[in-house]
Amino acid sequence: MWHNGGMSLHYALIGMLADEPMSGYDLTRRFAESLANVWPAQHSQIYPELARLVGAGLIEQAGEGPRGRKTYRATTAGVEALTQWMRGTKPDYDVRCEAGLRGFFLWTLPPDEAVAHLKQDIEVYRGHLAELEDKVETADWTASAGARSGRLTLEMGLRYYRMLIEWAEWASAEIAAGALEADGPEPGTAPVTGKRVRKKVAVRS
Amino acid sequence: MWHNGGMSLHYALIGMLADEPMSGYDLTRRFAESLANVWPAQHSQIYPELARLVGAGLIEQAGEGPRGRKTYRATTAGVEALTQWMRGTKPDYDVRCEAGLRGFFLWTLPPDEAVAHLKQDIEVYRGHLAELEDKVETADWTASAGARSGRLTLEMGLRYYRMLIEWAEWASAEIAAGALEADGPEPGTAPVTGKRVRKKVAVRS
DNA sequence: CTATACATGTAACAAGTTACATGATTAA
DNA sequence: TTAATCATGTAACTTGTTACATGTATAG
C-alpha cells in the first residue's frame, strides 16, 4: 500500500464512467449535484482530464449525440486502475474547508457579529441539508451499484450538515455567553464542554 | 458582500500573526497541529506567502532569533484586511475530502473489502479523535482571543470525527447487510434509513 | 425569433505538493 | 561527534479556478 498524491479527479471520472457511460457535460452535472459535497470540479477541469484518460486508454468513447456530444465509458484497464487505487493506495484524509478555517478567526469580530456570521453559516447549511433530504426522497437509489454506493455518500452529507448546524448553534451560544472574552463565559448561561485547564503553554522567545 | 476566490492561506497567516507574533517555522507547526483539520499548509507554501505579505505591508518583521529565525506580526493594515475578509466576503462553503470521495466508489470492491476499507478509515478517525480529545485536556484555552476561538474550532473537529466514525460504522453495517448488491439489503439485518423509492431516473441517450 | 439549456473546449492564472537545498543549535 | 530539531528558502510540477470562446438544439 503506497502513497497517493492527488489524482482524485482522474479516478473519480473513471469511477463515474465505470458505473454508467456519460458525456463530459453529464459528468459536470453529476459533480455539481452529488459529488460537490466531497469533491467539487468544473467542466474546464473535466474535459481536459477526459482527453488524457482516453489517451491513457483508461476510458473510451462510447458514442456521440447532438451538439457534438460525446459519451465515454471506462475500459477494462480503467476499471483495473480504479480498483488498484481503491485497494492499493491509502486515502488522503486531509480536509480543506474554508468555513471551518474562518471559525478560527471569529475572535477578530465583536461577539454579536461573530454570532451573526455563524447564523449566516447555519442558513447555508440548512439549505444544503434540505437539498440532500429532498434528494433522498426523490432519487432512485437502486438503479446501479454506483447509485447504491451514492446513497451511502449522501448519508454522510446529511450527517455532515446536521453536525455543522449543531456545532454552529453550540458555538453561537458559547460566544453569546462570552466565550471569546478574556474572563471566559458567564457561568451557567451556556453549557460548558471540556475543562478549561489553566496550564501554561511553552513560550518561545 | 462580494465574492472571494481563494486567499485563505493569505488571511489565515495574518490572523495567526494578529493573535500572536511568530516565525514561519512556528506557523508551519501550528498548521500541522491545529489548523490541519480545516486547512493544511506546508512550509514551502508558507514562507513565500509571508514574503508577499511583508511586501504588501500586511505583516512586518517583529524580531529575529538564532538560526536565522524571523518572527512576524500583523500590521494595522493587515488586521483591517483580515476583518474586511471576515466581514465583507462570503465564505466558500466547498469541502474537498478524498476519503468522502472514495465512499462513492466502494461499489467497485467486493462487500467484505469495502467493509475492511471502512474499518481502516475508522481506525484513522479514532486516532485523530483521540489526539483532539487529548488536546482539549492538555492545552490552555484561555491564553488569548485566538486560543479561545481555537477551542471552538477544535470542538468542530471532535464532532467531525465522531460523525465520521458513526457514519462509517453505519455504512459498514449497511454493506454487510447487502446494501451494495442488486436486491438491496437483507430485510431486518441492518437499520434502513430513508425510503428506497422505485422511481425511474431520466435516461439520456 | 429569441432565450435557455445543451455541449465542448482553451488560456491565463492562482494555489498547493513534493522534492531539493542549505545551514545552525542543542542534547545525548 | 552525531543525531534530532530548528530554521529558511527555492524549483518543478500538479491541481484547480475564472474567464474566454464558440456553436447547436429546443421550447415558448
Side-chain angles (χ1 to χ4, degrees):
Chain A
M1 192 180 274
W2 59 86
H3 184 258
N4 157 53
M7 306 297 279
S8 299
L9 180 66
H10 181 93
Y11 292 108
L13 293 177
I14 299 173
M16 305 283 269
L17 295 174
D19 182 47
E20 190 190 344
M22 270 184 279
S23 69
Y25 187 84
D26 297 334
L27 286 161
T28 302
R29 277 231 267 77
R30 292 281 174 109
F31 268 85
E33 277 166 15
S34 45
L35 230 39
N37 294 311
V38 286
W39 204 269
Q42 277 67 45
H43 78 271
S44 58
Q45 207 187 348
I46 290 170
Y47 286 118
E49 187 60 35
L50 285 174
R52 278 191 290 273
L53 287 166
V54 169
L58 300 172
I59 64 170
E60 62 190 5
Q61 201 172 328
E64 37 196 308
R67 281 162 297 202
R69 175 184 172 85
K70 290 183 269 183
T71 53
Y72 299 94
R73 75 176 139 241
T75 62
T76 313
V79 174
E80 264 163 39
L82 175 63
T83 46
Q84 182 49 44
W85 179 66
M86 286 294 286
R87 272 211 265 256
T89 66
K90 71 165 214 277
D92 175 356
Y93 291 99
D94 280 353
V95 177
R96 210 171 272 285
C97 157
E98 198 204 282
L101 178 67
R102 277 176 187 242
F104 224 88
F105 302 112
L106 243 25
W107 67 268
T108 61
L109 301 175
D112 59 321
E113 270 188 66
V115 169
H117 198 283
L118 288 170
K119 293 263 181 277
Q120 185 60 45
D121 288 349
I122 290 171
E123 287 313 302
V124 172
Y125 300 145
R126 276 206 229 278
H128 286 309
L129 180 60
E131 267 177 52
L132 297 188
E133 278 170 342
D134 181 66
K135 202 173 296 177
V136 174
E137 302 293 327
T138 57
D140 177 11
W141 300 106
T142 62
S144 68
R148 290 186 288 276
S149 219
R151 174 65 186 81
L152 302 181
T153 300
L154 187 134
E155 178 68 23
M156 189 170 83
L158 292 172
R159 288 167 187 242
Y160 178 66
Y161 288 115
R162 281 185 205 125
M163 180 278 288
L164 284 179
I165 290 165
E166 278 166 34
W167 172 81
E169 282 168 349
W170 168 84
S172 291
E174 282 278 307
I175 293 169
L180 293 184
E181 264 106 341
D183 345 341
E186 297 299 309
T189 44
V192 176
T193 322
K195 307 157 199 166
R196 288 170 194 277
V197 189
R198 255 154 240 268
K199 183 175 156 189
K200 261 276 149 285
V201 279
V203 180
R204 61 188 52 258
S205 44
Chain B
M1 192 181 274
W2 58 88
H3 183 257
N4 157 53
M7 305 298 279
S8 298
L9 180 66
H10 181 93
Y11 293 107
L13 292 176
I14 299 173
M16 306 282 268
L17 295 173
D19 182 47
E20 189 190 347
M22 269 185 279
S23 69
Y25 187 83
D26 298 333
L27 286 161
T28 303
R29 276 231 270 73
R30 292 283 174 106
F31 268 86
E33 278 166 14
S34 44
L35 229 40
N37 294 311
V38 287
W39 203 267
Q42 277 69 45
H43 77 271
S44 58
Q45 207 187 347
I46 290 170
Y47 287 118
E49 186 61 36
L50 286 173
R52 277 191 290 273
L53 287 165
V54 169
L58 301 172
I59 65 170
E60 63 190 2
Q61 201 173 327
E64 37 198 307
R67 282 163 297 204
R69 177 187 171 81
K70 291 183 270 183
T71 52
Y72 300 93
R73 74 175 141 242
T75 61
T76 313
V79 174
E80 263 164 40
L82 175 63
T83 45
Q84 182 48 44
W85 179 65
M86 288 292 287
R87 272 211 265 256
T89 68
K90 72 165 209 277
D92 175 356
Y93 290 99
D94 280 352
V95 177
R96 210 171 274 282
C97 160
E98 198 204 281
L101 179 67
R102 278 175 186 243
F104 224 88
F105 302 112
L106 244 25
W107 67 269
T108 62
L109 302 175
D112 59 321
E113 270 189 66
V115 168
H117 198 284
L118 288 170
K119 293 265 181 273
Q120 186 59 46
D121 288 349
I122 290 172
E123 287 313 302
V124 173
Y125 300 144
R126 276 206 230 278
H128 285 311
L129 180 60
E131 268 177 52
L132 296 188
E133 277 170 342
D134 182 66
K135 200 174 295 174
V136 174
E137 301 292 328
T138 58
D140 177 9
W141 300 107
T142 60
S144 66
R148 290 186 289 276
S149 218
R151 174 66 186 79
L152 302 182
T153 301
L154 187 134
E155 178 68 24
M156 191 170 81
L158 293 171
R159 288 166 187 242
Y160 178 65
Y161 288 116
R162 282 186 205 125
M163 181 277 288
L164 285 179
I165 290 165
E166 279 165 35
W167 172 80
E169 282 167 348
W170 169 84
S172 293
E174 283 277 310
I175 292 170
L180 292 185
E181 265 106 341
D183 342 343
E186 297 298 309
T189 45
V192 176
T193 322
K195 305 159 200 168
R196 288 171 195 276
V197 189
R198 252 154 242 269
K199 183 176 159 189
K200 264 276 151 283
V201 278
V203 181
R204 63 188 49 258
S205 44

